[in-house]
Amino acid sequence: MDVKVQEMNRADLAVVSGRVDSSTAADLGAALNERINNGTLNIVIDLSGVDYMSSGGLRELVAALKRVKKDGGDVRLCAPSARVREVLELAGLDSIFQIFDEQVNAVGSF
Amino acid sequence: MTRSTPQDFDQRKVTVLGRFSYGSIPMITHFVADAAKEAKLDEDAVFHCQMAVDEACTNIIEHAYAEDPNGNFEVNCWIEPGTLTIQIIDQGKKFDPTLAPTPQFSSDINQISPGGVGIHLIKKLMDEVRFEFTKQGNTLTLVKKSPLLIHMSASKGIPIREDKHGVWVVAPRGQVDSLVASDLDEVLSVMIKEGKIRVVVDLAEATYISSKGLKALVSAWRLARDSGGELVLCDIAPRVQSIVDTIGLNQVFAIYLDLNDAIRAIETEH
């Protein structure tokens, strides 16, 4: 799994790739926490390169969302593969995350 | 590739043993994926099995083996056409994942509690989830059935059922016109491709059968034969029988007077 974070005007863009499973989820959480600790409120997570996401990864997404929402921020997701989207929906996360098809729309939504 | 004989499609058990760690999960999920493919589950269902097993193993490592993370595991798979039964046994402390709370995702951020996402996903991904604590240890049983066939048979209104072990009965009702014929064609071909190759088509409730319906039966018969199985007909109404006879299909199909005869015949011959 790999996370590359880029600062945009109104949000940070985190481009995640590879497998986000029980053994790698903590690294995703650490990368997001580092940005939030530095004061980032708005985060777009680009999931286009994620080929597998287990509940461990979902928990990190939710944890990041909870942290930024407390201060009025948001975490928005974009471009999940069909498999990852299915998992987000099965877990019920599509009710708490805004999910965009295109990265540009997710970034532009802030 | 060797062709499967009907006997190969009886229930078969495969087992993998090892020591638990995050690192052993890929080996277990590969093992389960191979078993799921052998059970003729489709690509989505194979993925669902892999994901459910990943979640179950993670739960075991994080809860049952929380204090001793390197316990033993035993994973058994029972393979039968269209159904995979997975059993995961660990010797950790008693942990029943099915009792975990349902995760809450509401718009109120303070109400969000993501605990139990793993088991929640497992329940969504699998058709049956059962837990038992036995002298062998924690035993989690997961069952996945071919969603394609379940969905198709229900949505198309063509009842199918397994009668004697490995003998499947398909019973189209009413007018088997060209519309119903294409549904019948689809159901039969999915069934046979999944390895349900001993098929009785029970026509007791079919009042009419179009040429397209007969064509569907012939192509399913051929597919079953090519797969090492058999397709027979039974309980044909006189009017439908005369259509079958006129076209000469009574030379192709074995036709039985009633369902029990048909099942007995297909059981003993194949």
Side-chain angles (χ1 to χ4, degrees):
Chain A
M1 197 229 29
D2 186 50
V3 191
K4 286 196 169 59
V5 185
Q6 205 181 331
E7 277 183 46
M8 312 289 271
N9 277 341
R10 290 150 82 173
D12 278 7
L13 172 65
V15 180
V16 187
S17 55
R19 284 176 66 87
V20 188
D21 58 21
S22 36
S23 57
T24 60
D27 297 339
L28 172 62
L32 296 174
N33 273 330
E34 194 196 325
R35 301 308 305 163
I36 298 168
N37 291 341
N38 284 334
T40 293
L41 281 179
N42 295 330
I43 305 175
V44 170
I45 302 179
D46 184 329
L47 298 170
S48 57
V50 174
D51 35 46
Y52 182 77
M53 167 98 62
S54 77
S55 66
L58 300 179
R59 272 196 292 271
E60 298 299 339
L61 298 182
V62 173
L65 180 74
K66 282 187 83 162
R67 283 196 69 192
V68 299
K69 278 241 172 176
K70 284 201 176 78
D71 296 314
D74 200 8
V75 175
R76 295 177 187 167
L77 311 178
C78 68
S81 67
R83 286 255 185 264
V84 172
R85 183 181 279 275
E86 182 192 18
V87 171
L88 290 167
E89 288 170 2
L90 287 177
L93 292 189
D94 54 331
S95 64
I96 58 166
F97 283 102
Q98 285 191 49
I99 305 172
F100 295 84
D101 287 339
E102 309 263 348
Q103 187 198 89
V104 59
N105 296 335
V107 172
S109 72
F110 281 107
Chain B
M1 205 182 108
T2 55
R3 175 161 293 154
S4 300
T5 63
Q7 284 72 26
D8 287 339
F9 280 99
D10 287 345
Q11 200 183 62
R12 199 160 72 74
K13 183 186 172 190
V14 288
T15 299
V16 63
L17 301 165
R19 298 278 286 172
F20 246 132
S21 69
Y22 286 129
S24 55
I25 292 179
M27 188 262 278
I28 298 171
T29 58
H30 280 140
F31 166 76
V32 167
D34 285 345
K37 284 175 202 155
E38 270 194 68
K40 309 281 179 187
L41 298 187
D42 68 8
E43 205 183 310
D44 285 342
V46 171
F47 171 74
H48 292 168
C49 291
Q50 281 187 286
M51 174 140 206
V53 166
D54 179 354
E55 297 293 346
C57 291
T58 302
N59 266 335
I60 291 168
I61 293 168
E62 290 176 1
H63 299 284
Y65 287 136
E67 282 118 49
D68 166 21
N70 292 307
N72 292 323
F73 67 79
E74 175 181 338
V75 180
N76 298 308
C77 287
W78 285 269
I79 299 163
E80 54 191 311
T83 305
L84 180 69
T85 304
I86 306 161
Q87 188 184 56
I88 306 171
I89 302 171
D90 68 75
Q91 283 95 45
K93 68 173 187 211
K94 184 177 176 182
F95 171 69
D96 182 351
T98 62
L99 299 178
T102 310
Q104 296 297 323
F105 299 119
S106 67
S107 50
D108 178 356
I109 194 72
N110 297 312
Q111 299 291 309
I112 292 177
S113 78
V117 175
I119 186 64
H120 175 70
L121 278 176
I122 294 172
K123 286 178 182 163
K124 290 268 184 180
L125 293 165
M126 305 304 278
D127 294 301
E128 287 171 40
V129 180
R130 294 190 298 271
F131 175 83
E132 268 180 306
F133 188 70
T134 67
K135 57 179 188 294
Q136 288 176 287
N138 292 310
T139 304
L140 185 69
T141 304
L142 310 173
V143 181
K144 185 71 175 175
K145 293 175 184 162
S146 164
L148 193 58
L149 193 58
I150 295 167
H151 175 76
M152 226 167 68
S153 153
S155 72
K156 300 198 183 294
I158 296 175
I160 61 168
R161 64 187 165 84
E162 187 170 15
D163 194 279
K164 296 276 169 43
H165 186 70
V167 178
W168 287 76
V169 178
V170 179
R173 291 177 184 147
Q175 305 251 337
V176 184
D177 55 17
S178 53
L179 207 65
V180 177
S182 73
D183 289 347
L184 181 64
D185 187 42
E186 223 178 304
V187 168
L188 284 169
S189 91
V190 167
M191 274 182 77
I192 295 164
K193 282 175 188 158
E194 278 183 355
K196 298 172 176 63
I197 53 176
R198 284 178 282 181
V199 183
V200 177
V201 179
D202 179 358
L203 293 168
E205 291 186 49
T207 53
Y208 165 79
I209 189 157
S210 69
S211 62
K212 237 187 131 191
L214 292 171
K215 223 174 129 195
L217 292 177
V218 172
S219 65
W221 171 81
R222 189 170 295 127
L223 192 60
R225 276 273 164 121
D226 289 350
S227 312
E230 180 65 284
L231 181 144
V232 302
L233 310 182
C234 75
D235 214 342
I236 306 183
R239 199 170 148 215
V240 176
Q241 177 79 57
S242 71
I243 305 172
V244 170
D245 292 348
T246 313
I247 305 179
L249 288 182
N250 51 353
Q251 305 295 313
V252 173
F253 292 108
I255 300 173
Y256 297 89
L257 284 179
D258 76 25
L259 182 59
N260 288 331
D261 289 349
I263 289 170
R264 213 171 301 127
I266 207 167
E267 244 191 333
T268 48
E269 271 180 50
H270 292 274

